[in-house]
Every structure is written in C-alpha cells, then in structure tokens.
Amino acid sequence: MPVAASAIYFLNLRGDVLINRLYRDDVGGNMVDAFRMHIMQTKELGTCPVRQIGGCSFLYMRISNVYIVIVVSSNANVSCAFKFVVEAVALFKSYFGGTFDEDAIRNNFVLIYELLDEIMDFGYPQNLSPEILKLYITQEGVRSPFSSKPSDKPVPNATLQVTGAVGWRREGLVYKKNEVFLDIVESVNLLMSSKGSVLRCDVTGKILMKCFLSGMPDLKLGLNDKIGLEKEAQLKSRPSKSGKTIELDDVTFHQCVNLTRFNSEKTVSFVPPDGEFELMKYRITEGVNLPFRVLPTIKELGRTRMEINVKVKSVFGAKMFALGVVVKVPVPKQTAKTSFQTTSGKAKYNASIDSLVWKIRKFPGQTEATMSAEVELISTMGEKKLANRPPIQMEFQVPMFTASGLRVRFLKVWEKSGYNTVEWVRYITRAGSYEIRC
Amino acid sequence: MSGHDSKYFSTTKKGEIPELKEELNSQYKDKRKDAVKKVIAAMTVGKDVSSLFTDVVNCMQTENLELKKLVYLYLINYAKSQPDLAILAVNTFVKDSQDPNPLIRALAVRTMGCIRVDKITEYLCDPLQRCLKDDDPYVRKTAAICVAKLYDINAELVEDRGFLEALKDLISDNNPMVVANAVAALAEIQESSARPIFEITSHTLTKLLTALNECTEWGQVFILDSLSRYKATDARDAENIVERVTPRLQHANCAVVLSAVKIILLQMELITSTDVVRNLCKKMAPPLVTLLSAEPEIQYVALRNINLIVQKRPTILAHEIKVFFCKYNDPIYVKMEKLEIMIKLASDRNIDQVLLEFKEYATEVDVDFVRKAVRAIGRCAIKLDRAAERCISVLLELIKIKVNYVVQEAIIVIKDIFRRYPNTYESIIATLCESLDNLDEPEAKASMIWIIGEYAERIDNADELLESFLESFPEEPALVQLQLLTATVKLFLKKPTEGPQQMIQAVLNNATVETDNPDLRDRAYIYWRLLSTDPEAAKDVVLAEKPVISDDSNQLDSSLLDELLANISTLSSVYHKPPEAFISRVKAAPRADDEEFADAGEAGYSESPSQGVDGASPSSSTGTSSNVPVKQPAAPAPIPDLLGDLMGLDNALVPVDEPTALSGPPLPVVLPSTTGQGLQISAQLVRRDGQIFYDISFENGTQSVLDGFMIQFNKNTFGLAAGGPLQVTPLQPGASARTLLPMVFSQNVSPGAPNSLLQVAVKNNQQPVWYFSDKGSLHVFFGEDGKMERTSFLEAWKSLPDDNEFSKEYPNSVINSIDATIENLAASNVFFIAKRKNANMDVLYLSAKIPRGIPFLIELTAAVGVPGAKCAVKTPNKEFVPLFFEAMEPLIK
C-alpha cells in the first residue's frame, strides 16, 4: 500500500507541537505523547529512524531544530514517507526564502496548513513541485525569487498544470533574454588508510540547472560519458571521437527527464521546470582524480607529548586553485597546549571538536603545504584507551575542476518560436567525506 | 522574506474565547480572517476552541479562498465533537462543490471526505458523483481519493452508489494523475475487502504501464505498488513488464526506485532465461548503491531492504562491498546495517579488505558498534573456512589491545569458531587464558569456561583456572554455573586425578544442595548418577563429539524472505516481519467478531452476520467451519481462489487474536496459498474429550486435483505426533476439506527450552513437501487429571521454593463473575480449588497439569468487574512458565 502517512507532526527540540495534520483516522490524536515518552526522552533518540510503539510506527527525521514525525498504523511505504518529508521541507524552504526552522514554521503556520492540505491527500502524496504550487497557493508576506509576477492575478489553468503531463512547468512564460545556467557540482568522497592506500573513493555529482527560457522548450544534454557517446556513434554510424570519456556508475534524473527515452537512446531529453532545479545526479567510482593527497605522520613521544606533521599536496592543474581548504586533525581530549608551524595558512586548536584546524584560504594547483604541530597532553591515569583515532577530515572546493572528468559536450534547446539561447556552464568540485585515517 | 504568523499565537489573555467570538462576528472581513487565524493558532497549540464552532462556520461563506481553507481545516478537527452543528456546514459544502472554480470544487470534496460524521457523509454522495465526472482533472483526481475515504467510513454506501465502477472507469482517464490516484484508491479498497474489486487484467496492465511514463513521481509509486500484485502469466509476460519498469530505476525518487526493484525481483522469479536474469541483476546494482548517498534515514530503509535482496540474490551486489564500508560520521543505525550487509557479502575474494575494515571499526568509540564488529569477524571466520585463520589472527590482535569489552566479545566468538573448526586453532588458547581475570560478562565467562573444559587435556593448568572460578560459584549467574558444572565434569573425566576429584565434589555439592535452580540441580544430578554408576558411559555422554555448527548469518527462512521481498520499501521490509505481525488493526476482521465467536459457538451462526463490508455470499461449509467469509480464508469455495493469488491477502485476514473457542471459528492460516502454490492450509491444535487433535483444513486453489495427503510432525517439546494417517479425500480444484487428526505423545521429545512451536510437513502427490510451523497454545495440553486436592495443593505450594514462583499482570482482562470464570477455566482443564477474599479482591486457587506430570499451582487475583488480573504460578519446571502465562491470557479474558 503506497500510503505514506496517517499523521504528520512538526515538533521543536523540546517536543512541543509546532504544527500537525491528521490525514487518516487510524491513528489517535495523542500520538505525540507516545513519541515524546518513548523516543524523545530516551536514549533511543537517534538510534533508529523507524520505531514501533504499540500499534503505530513512527518515522522521524530531524531537520535543523525541528523533528518531523510521521505516524502510520498500516504497512506504509517507508521510502515514500521519508522522501515526502524531504521534498516537503524543500518546498517549505522555497516558500520561506531558504530557511526551515522552528521560527519559520511559527511564522508561516497558515501557509503550512494550506500546503499540507494540498501536497498530501488521505496519506497519499500529491504534487509537491514548488513551481506549480506557487501558481495557486500564495500568501502575502511570501515572496520567492523566481515568481515575480503579481500574485493577485487569478491563474485560470492552474489545475490543468498541477495534473498535466508536464506537471512541473507552467505555460506562457516569456523572457527577453533566454538563458540557461548549468552548474556541475561534484563531491569527492575518500577514505584512505593510514598507509596511504585508497580504501574507498567515489564521486557523487549533480547537475544543477537554472533556466530562464520562454515557452515550452525541449532540451537535450550531451555529456562525455562512455555509454552515451557509444550510442550516439552507433546511431550516426560513425566511429566515436577519441578523447576522454568517463564511465558513469549510475544516474538518476529529475522527473522531467524522459526515462524511457534515456533507456533506449541514452540521451537526456527533457522539458525543464522554470527556475532552479536539480537535473540529474550521478555516481562514479572508476578513474577519479583526487584533488589532494594528504600525508600525515603522528608520533607519540611518551605519554604527554605528540608530534603531528601533515603534508598536503594539490594534484590538480597548476593554473587552478582550491578555495576554503580546511584540514582537521583530531587530537586527544586531554590536550593541554599546542604550538604550530605552517608553510601557508593558519592553524589553531579547537577544543570543542578536539581537533587541530588548519585553514588555507587559497591553495594553488601543483603545490604543497605542511603543518607541524606539537601537542602537550595532561597525563591521565585512566583506563587504557583504544589505539584508534578518528580520521583526519578535509574540506575544500576547487572551481572549474571535476574529479570525475565529466564535461558537458552540448546543450541543445528547441522551441517552436526558434529563439536563441545563451548557455553558461560552471564546474566545481567539493570535498564530500574526505577522510584519511591516521 | 517570510510570514509573521507567530503574532497569532500571542493572545493568551483571559477571556480569549469571548474576545475571539466577537472578532469572528465582526463586520470587517480582515478582522474575521485574523480571528480565524487566531483560532487555528490556538487549535495548533492544543487549546480547545470547539466552543467557537458556530461562529467559525459562519465565516465559511466567503469568496476568500484562504479563509475558506482555514475554516475547512477547523471543521476537519472539530466536526466530530460537534456532529449536530456540523450539519450547518453541509449547505456550503454542497454549494462549493458546484463552484465554477475547480480549486474550490476539489477543496469541498476533499474536505467533506475528511469529516467523518454520518450526517455529512450522506450529503457527500451527490457531489462526489458529479466530481468523479468533472471536466477538470484536478477535481477528478481529488474525487478518486475521496472514494477511498468514503469507503473507509461507509463501504456499503460506496458499493450501492456505484462509486467503485466510476473509480474503475477512471483507470482509463486520459490524465495520468487521475489514473494514479484512482489506482491508489482501488488498491486501498481492495486491501480492506475480501471480494475481488481491483483485478489487474492484461488490459489494465497496458493502461497502467502507459500511465507510468507520464505521471508524477508519487503516481509512479502508486502504480508500481499496485502492479506488484499482478501475477504474470508466463516468462514473456514477465519480461515485458520488467522491460517497461526498468527505466524507473533511474528516477531521482527513492520510492520509485525501490518499488521498481520490487516488481523486477518478483517478475524475475518467472523469467527463465539466465541471460535476462543476469542482465537485470546488473541493472539493479547501481541504483541500489545510489540510494546510499541519500539522507541517512533513507539510507537506513535502503539498507534494510538490501539486506533482504542480497539474501535472495547474492550476486547483485557481490562486487559492491566497498560501498558498504562505514563512514566515520555515519549515524549508528546506518553503520550497524552496513556491517550486517558486509558480513553477507564477505567472500574469499574480498575478505582481506573486509577484515581490515572490521579491525578499524573494532577500535571506534561506540561500544555497541565495536562489539558488533568483533562479532562480525567471528561470523566471517565461521562462514569462510579458507579465511578462518586470518580472522582469528585479527581477533588475537584485538585481544592484545586489552580493551575489556573487545576481549570479552572476542572470546565469545572464538568459542563458536572452535565449535565450527574442532581441533584446528587450539594453539591460541594460551593467549585467551591471559585475559581470564578481566572477564566480567556472563556470556564471555561462560564461553571461556566452556573452552577450558573442552580442551582441559591441552591446558596444563586447567584445574587451577577452573578452581579460580569455583570460588565464586554461588554468586555466578545461572549461565556461568551451568558451564562451570559441565567443564568441571569434563576436566574430571579427562584428568581423573586428585585435584579435579575434589573440585567435582565441591561443584556437585554446590549445584545440588545449595542451589535453587532446578536446571542446574537436574543437570548436576544426572552427572552425579552417571559418574557414580558408569564413568565410561559418562565419558561417552559428556565428551561425545559435537555436531559442527554452521554459519547462519541471520538468514531468514525462505518463505518469509519471499513475503518480505514482496513488501519491499514498506514497513514490513524495514522490520523484517510480515505485515500481520505488527499491524494490529485489520479492517476485514473487526475485533468485535472474535468475541462473538467465543460466546456464540456454532449454533448462533446460522445466518451470515450483517457485514456490508464484504458483501460475499455466505459459505456453505461442512460441519464446524463458520460462515463469515471475510475472515475465513480456510472456508471452501465461493470466494474465488484467485483472490488469494491476486492480493496476497490471506495473511491479512488472520484474526489477530486467535479465537479461543474450540470449534467453529476459522482456523489460523499456517500455509498461505501464495507460499503453497495455491494450496492453503489452516490448522490449530484443539482438545476434545481429553484428547488432543490437530484441527486442519486444506483449500485447493490450484488448477488440479490434489490427493494423497500425508503429514509429519518434527520433534517438539511435548513429543506430540500424529496418532494416525491423515484422512483427506482427493481435493478438487477450488474445494476444501477439514479434518480432526488425533495426536499422541511419543518419546520423540526435542531438547532445549520448551516452546509451543509445532513444525509440520505436509505433502501430497502433486506438489512438493510443504513445511510450516504452527504456534500452539499451552492450554490444549492441560490434562483432565490436573485437579488437586486442597491439602496436596497446600503441601505442594509450600514445598516449592519461592524462586519457582512467578507472576504476571493481565491489565486488559476483566472478570465479571467468579462463577463463570471458574466454569470457563474448568472447561479448559484449569481446576478450581479454593477462593478467598482479600480486601476488595477475589483470590482464586487453581491447578492444572501438562504432560509428563508437570503441575501448575495457580493463584489468580482480581476484582470483579475491574480490568486487571494478576496471575501467580508455582511449578517445579520454571521453563514452562512463559508458555503458561501465554496460555492463560485468553482463558481469563
């Protein structure tokens, strides 16, 4: 049964109900008490997101300072429920101008009630596209960056668009200048052993798109991925061009992409929503270009002193540079005194996260930087500690670099009026969980 | 910029309600709107604003859509508490449902469906009829769901007004979202009805597959989930479906992906071509892996499902083990699940890498996770014999770190490794012995003592080691005491020298005279007798070769696994339990009926109970079988058998509380027809005239005649076995038969803790052997000879130590009459001995006896008419107590 929820509650961290909506009659009204008593006030909180109490199941997520709890009593579709929560929060954010927290809920409760009524009926999720909902659910005091049209104008065909085959785009859009912005954003995830061998490494990327296009355009996107290129060569019966191709492990698409066509022809074709959206996500594990190498050496000198030496090498092109590089080296809780030497950037000891934090604002390609630190510890007589230390973690972003090597080859736009479009493409690679054991 | 609604929460002055009342009746629109907002704000924080009902409803007639929605919201919340006033709203609803604005039409129908007040429901039908045929798809899609709402309130009305047909017509609607909602509504209605309402024919299949391409992500989930009940006719049909569903694997919505995976896995069963199957496996792996980059909660759901999928098709993710490596910042619930899957995917090829990971985890901070990691190493050793040595060396390295809980966990798994590979790795015992003094957990201690006893001949100072434990013998928990006893006996048999001789004396003395634990005492006496009569025989018994254990890796039973896989993405797949195990409310079997059964017996059920819900014709079954078709999966004919096939409903139909009556009520299904390839078996142990029978019923849902039924029972706690051949005549397709099989007690008693589980195998000439297990209740074993004399009761009560007394509260049991209760209990062979009054409570003394002469002395305390009864019991065999309490529950209901 694809029912996703019998009731949904929004609670603050103390457990007060901020807003709630009962969708079905099969759960009682006092479910929140059960959640507070059996989950919030116990050690259970955070140990498992799906819990059964009595005849009801509770599915909960924490988003900023709000707990969102879904209660069901039937064999509900759990993925549907969690996905619904994720999408609903995205929708609220888009209405509230980017924030979702306790205050935002209190300040918009009328709107949230209205949205909750619209996006789920009898426990079945309905249309959650912000673009469409904003056509007919408007509140004063709510402005979104993308719909600048006056809100008092009635939208006669809103209902057709909610249910239409292109349920994510409204008709009759006009832009003076037709522009498309593509952002390829990649996160590199790395887990490296203390000896420098790569244990796990993958890239999760997404293509974010911002469309300001008139009418109902058909778009087609070409990437330098192997399967797509091969298929294309096959269709045009000519050998595929040599050059770097990459192999995507998996791709998932926004609902606007025609999946059947992707499956048969391997082309990404779609009618885009207006404004900003996430076109696709992909994952790559083979042939990842790691932007940084980290070489830590940690020496324990007796019970009270440590010497930490971390060398970071950038291995991307010399003309590029990384921004916001942060290296976090965990140190024992009983750290008393630290001293540092760095070849670039600044380092300090942050006691609240028990780490040495080394920040380098701008890190050019093909260079290296080192930090040496001496750490003095308070000697403790306590029980013998585990030998293990948490891994070194790294944050960075490298503009115009893709760890996967993915490139956009073309983006074609067809519209019956035949206007010209300007396309902009940006690339950026960020650290996902970039961890080096030490 | 965001709203400023928080101001509506701030009015907390006294006299708030009258003030609001005034504002609600203001002549200014804006003021009224603000007032309604304040009412809603008050409602949100839990204040009772139901007294404003009339005033709020008066604001309903408005052009302002926002205000209208707020009033509707108020109505949904309070209409139930003010049913008489709710009628005030009906006019506006009906009017709104004809409004030129489709948003308002839909809103009216949607809201009316949420108001569960009979008076409103009556008026809902006409608007709903219109809206189902509305020109606007938005109204139609809302009306479709509304039919499901109405069905939940009044199913009869839905059927009478022909809404089901209208809903089915919507499957052919040209708007995909309308189709999707109609499918969702039909699927839900089907779930609560025993009649085939929503059958997916090849024709509807085509329509649904077409709509799948066009509808919203959620609509795709509705359609995919309803398709998962479609049974393909052959391999080609299945391949066709899979081909149309496979593109969904690329969807960004995890629910779409998992529902698609569910269908593909189900259809794969039918596909014969190994190439196609291999190809499908290859296609499913990447999307499953991608789910692991979603939000942690979604990852958790995905991991629980992947756990099932790799049990069924291990090849799918065989090469992807790396993606299950834990990230340092993963939440604990994600880490635990990843670990479980890593064990399942561990193979000779990747074990080195896996061990490095486990070793890393074993030094992390979270103690539970560390323990699980250590256990995982042991489980890999047991699973992969070629890697066992490497696993052990990792365990030894961990032991050397000397972190207490790591050492203890390691010792527990090493014991299992010794059982799996006898006489192979004993060289490490010396290392283990070094940690002896630090053991403080019973399980670890018991494991270590087992190791010492088992290998006493190779450990030079085994006697010293054991002796060090013996000092604290009386204080040890039972688990450790039992191991100490056995280990000492082993030591003595292996090294019958003076030291062990003295030790054994001390232990036997401790374990017989000084203990209250019957298990320990029984075991000690057996050893004592063995040792004193025939030491050689003792050797044969105590030092006998043990069967080698194997790795279970928490494997699920295959029929359960199939059921769970059919429920991928639902709660059932997360809990790893079939839906009926955790859903207390099954619509088709209202609880009220269970009680009626208990009272009415056979005679009272000459006519079909008035259940509009099912609408099925009464079944004309033989003899005892009842005629409530809704909850009668075992009943013969008129329910077409494709029902079970279509919906896998049969499980949902089993009443949650097993009926207590001895005859008449339907038997619980023990083998659903989905598992039995069409054959459905329902059975239950019953007691008649001092004899135990297996009341068993077969329903033939296959296309052919089934004959030659035979039955076999596995060893069980009571040694229950068939007392004769199974007398079932050949079963025509669609027919059913029910029989009483007399049962006898044999010597084939299964060892181990008592349970009421009956493992049964049934075969016939046409089908493979079916295995199922049936959980009986202890009360059928209560013998007619259970009555005790008052004096012997008193003596027995006194002679049993207090340790053997247990009690349990039954908070929901109500005793309305003492006499009736006594009579009722006596009917189940629980005999009344005496009663007394204690304050306002009645105390009853009763006795019962189960085979092998095990008596139960019972003290039942309750106040007449007040819920809650307390049952205390004394028995020499404590291990039967949990079963006993379970059996008493229905008897004192």
Side-chain angles (χ1 to χ4, degrees), chain A residues 323-396:
Chain A
L323 297 173
V325 178
V326 180
V327 183
K328 289 182 194 158
V329 185
V331 288
K333 274 205 182 313
Q334 62 269 31
T335 298
K337 205 175 144 196
T338 50
S339 59
F340 304 94
Q341 276 184 328
T342 55
T343 56
S344 62
K346 275 185 185 162
K348 63 178 183 196
Y349 167 57
N350 184 337
S352 63
I353 52 168
D354 292 315
S355 299
L356 307 179
V357 181
W358 175 26
K359 290 184 181 168
I360 305 153
R361 216 172 287 153
K362 195 166 171 181
F363 202 127
Q366 303 295 340
T367 56
E368 58 176 66
T370 42
M371 172 194 72
S372 338
E374 261 186 48
V375 179
E376 278 179 42
L377 308 174
I378 304 164
S379 72
T380 48
M381 301 300 288
E383 188 195 349
K384 191 171 165 64
K385 278 274 164 110
L386 287 179
N388 174 299
R389 271 185 289 268
I392 293 179
Q393 293 181 319
M394 209 176 155
E395 294 166 17
F396 54 79

Side-chain angles (χ1 to χ4, degrees), chain B residues 602 619-628 632 634-636 663-666 738:
Chain B
E602 298 156 60
S619 60
S620 54
S621 58
T622 49
T624 53
S625 117
S626 113
N627 45 12
V628 181
Q632 176 54 303
S663 66
R738 184 161 170 169

